[in-house]
Amino acid sequence: MALAIFDLDHTLLSGDSDHAWGQYLVDRNLVDPADHQRRNDYFYEQYKAGTLDIHEYLNFALKPLTEHPLALMLEERNTFLKERITPLISQKSRDLIAKHKAAGDTLLIITATNGFVTYPIAEILGIEHIIAPEPEFVDGAYTGGIVGIPSFQHGKVTRLNDWLEQQQLDLQGSYFYSDSHNDLPLLEVVDHPVAVDPDDTLKARAQQQGWPIISLCL
């Protein structure tokens, strides 16, 4: 039994749920289409380059939750999950999850995509535990802020360590699956780092270190 940790976007999903949610909001005219699409694409390019200001991005990503009734956004999220996310789950991802479950491992998603988008995705994948930026929710409404440290780059290690302490678990025998060089801080502290359809920077590091490189793409 060990801890099996998974990044979400471009790892368990053959796509990016964060960017896809922004595009969905544009397509549904729930945001200013031109401005939101421009900024959504801008932040996505920053993420890929490793230069993303996570706080600036989360302020942008969570703002639409403050501009519409909660019931509407929950309904739109359900449609988004059905139409845009479920088709991004490959059989390879499902098989990998099943393999770790069969081994009796504890499964955990850790992602930089906010919890409004990702908590239900973890449920769809059948993974009980998830660490994600937690949107602040006060008096029945989202404020547009977050609670605590965003789980991004070194923040993933910080959030994971806090979670391990709460769960009374450790990293002995642990796995972490990720596609992104942004996750190198966490990949370097687990026992079994695995690069999944990696970007060029992560691929080079994986080859240098002898880490397995696998594909979970559709």
Side-chain angles (χ1 to χ4, degrees):
M1 293 175 61
L3 180 61
I5 310 168
F6 304 90
D7 179 43
L8 182 63
D9 299 313
H10 294 291
T11 302
L12 288 180
L13 298 179
S14 294
D16 189 286
S17 62
D18 217 350
H19 188 265
W21 172 244
Q23 185 61 52
Y24 177 83
L25 295 177
V26 168
D27 295 342
R28 296 285 290 169
N29 288 313
L30 292 165
V31 292
D32 178 87
D35 180 66
H36 197 88
Q37 182 151 21
R38 177 186 60 80
R39 296 187 69 198
N40 196 41
D41 292 343
Y42 167 76
F43 285 121
Y44 186 46
E45 291 303 316
Q46 281 194 328
Y47 171 80
K48 291 191 291 184
T51 60
L52 179 66
D53 182 327
I54 189 62
H55 293 281
E56 182 183 9
Y57 174 68
L58 286 170
N59 287 337
F60 160 76
L62 294 173
K63 185 178 179 183
L65 296 180
T66 71
E67 298 175 330
H68 301 283
L70 177 59
L72 172 65
M73 297 307 285
L74 292 173
E75 182 180 343
E76 293 290 350
R77 183 179 67 178
N78 287 339
T79 303
F80 165 73
L81 294 170
K82 180 180 179 180
E83 294 183 355
R84 308 283 175 103
I85 294 301
T86 301
L88 298 179
I89 303 172
S90 72
Q91 188 58 48
K92 292 177 184 178
S93 289
R94 295 188 186 279
D95 290 345
L96 179 61
I97 290 168
K99 174 184 174 182
H100 280 286
K101 285 186 174 182
D105 295 334
T106 298
L107 278 63
L108 167 69
I109 290 171
I110 185 162
T111 175
T113 301
N114 75 81
F116 180 82
V117 172
T118 58
Y119 293 155
I121 298 176
E123 293 181 14
I124 291 169
L125 291 167
I127 295 179
E128 178 181 0
H129 303 288
I130 178 169
I131 295 171
E134 182 179 351
E136 186 178 51
F137 193 74
V138 177
D139 295 332
Y142 288 103
T143 68
I146 64 164
V147 178
I149 297 170
S151 41
F152 177 63
Q153 295 181 338
H154 289 281
K156 284 194 175 184
V157 178
T158 301
R159 290 285 304 276
L160 176 61
N161 286 336
D162 291 343
W163 183 86
L164 290 171
E165 184 176 352
Q166 293 169 5
Q167 299 290 322
Q168 297 185 329
L169 296 172
D170 58 42
L171 290 176
Q172 184 174 354
S174 58
Y175 293 78
F176 180 39
Y177 297 88
S178 177
D179 72 296
S180 175
H181 67 280
N182 285 295
D183 286 336
L184 282 169
L186 183 49
L187 285 160
E188 290 170 348
V189 300
V190 298
D191 285 348
H192 301 288
V194 182
V196 180
D197 301 297
D199 60 38
D200 290 342
T201 301
L202 177 54
K203 183 177 181 180
R205 179 67 66 87
Q207 291 172 333
Q208 181 184 46
Q209 298 294 328
W211 297 345
I213 299 175
I214 68 170
S215 176
L216 298 178
C217 279
L218 289 165

